[in-house]
Amino acid sequence: MTIHFRPTPEDRARTAAKAQAAVARPVPLNTREMALLAALTRAARSFRPCPNNFTLQHDLHMQNAWLIYTFRSLQERGLIVLERKGTRRRVIINATGERTDWSAHMRSEPRAPAMRKCLGGCGKLFQSSHPGHRICDTCKRSDDYKQASANSYSCGVSLS
């Protein structure tokens, strides 16, 4: 035999009164929540892209786990809405209706040229055009490199 509980009108009224009391007495924000909300509000006021986690961790001196927890907490309290589109995101501040612009894709910007150590044998620093450019032009012109490239997929570095 199964007994089904159906709330009475008094039960519903009591539940509604508890919910209204909880809304009337909001729990104060902790330090992390205030700092994250302030950073997001600054970005939203100037319609800048939503800051990524690395920037927020650095600016707020917060570990990633705490940052994720704080984002969730602000969402659960109804203070922000986090919208996602693939790897991009934007935040809406519910109190003001302001929102950040969509964040950039994590790898949308090409990496700047950098000085890298040649892996072709000479070990000298050279101006590399991208992260996969690891062998200098001098080593690429060498006979050892050309022979190794013709015989295998080796980059000219001997592993023996």
Side-chain angles (χ1 to χ4, degrees):
M1 180 168 129
T2 305
I3 299 174
H4 295 282
F5 171 74
R6 294 181 189 224
T8 64
E10 294 83 21
D11 291 333
R12 288 189 188 119
R14 207 170 322 146
T15 303
K18 284 181 184 178
Q20 285 178 344
V23 171
R25 289 179 282 132
V27 178
L29 297 176
N30 65 37
T31 311
R32 290 185 186 99
E33 292 167 332
M34 285 190 290
L36 179 57
L37 186 59
L40 295 172
T41 301
R42 280 192 301 274
R45 283 205 176 115
S46 57
F47 199 64
R48 289 191 322 253
C50 182
N52 64 31
N53 283 9
F54 298 114
T55 303
L56 290 169
Q57 287 174 39
H58 180 266
D59 293 349
L60 304 177
H61 307 288
M62 195 181 300
Q63 293 178 354
N64 192 44
W66 278 112
L67 184 66
I68 293 168
Y69 174 80
T70 307
F71 255 113
R72 284 188 189 138
S73 175
L74 292 176
Q75 285 178 289
E76 289 169 0
R77 289 171 173 248
L79 297 172
I80 64 170
V81 174
L82 183 63
E83 296 180 333
R84 295 191 174 275
K85 189 188 295 183
T87 60
R88 302 171 70 195
R89 71 179 179 197
R90 75 175 169 191
V91 173
I92 300 170
I93 310 297
N94 283 342
T96 61
E98 296 171 322
R99 66 178 184 209
T100 64
D101 193 10
W102 286 101
S103 61
H105 288 286
M106 286 300 289
R107 291 183 178 85
S108 64
E109 299 172 12
R111 300 224 179 157
M115 296 300 290
R116 302 191 197 284
K117 185 177 177 181
C118 175
L119 300 178
C122 71
K124 294 180 183 175
L125 288 177
F126 73 101
Q127 184 69 30
S128 168
S129 59
H130 58 84
H133 186 201
R134 298 296 178 137
I135 299 174
C136 69
D137 292 335
T138 306
C139 286
K140 282 186 180 179
R141 286 192 295 267
S142 72
D143 291 333
D144 291 339
Y145 179 80
K146 290 177 185 175
Q147 184 179 5
S149 296
N151 293 337
S152 67
Y153 293 104
S154 168
C155 65
V157 177
S158 174
L159 298 177
S160 55

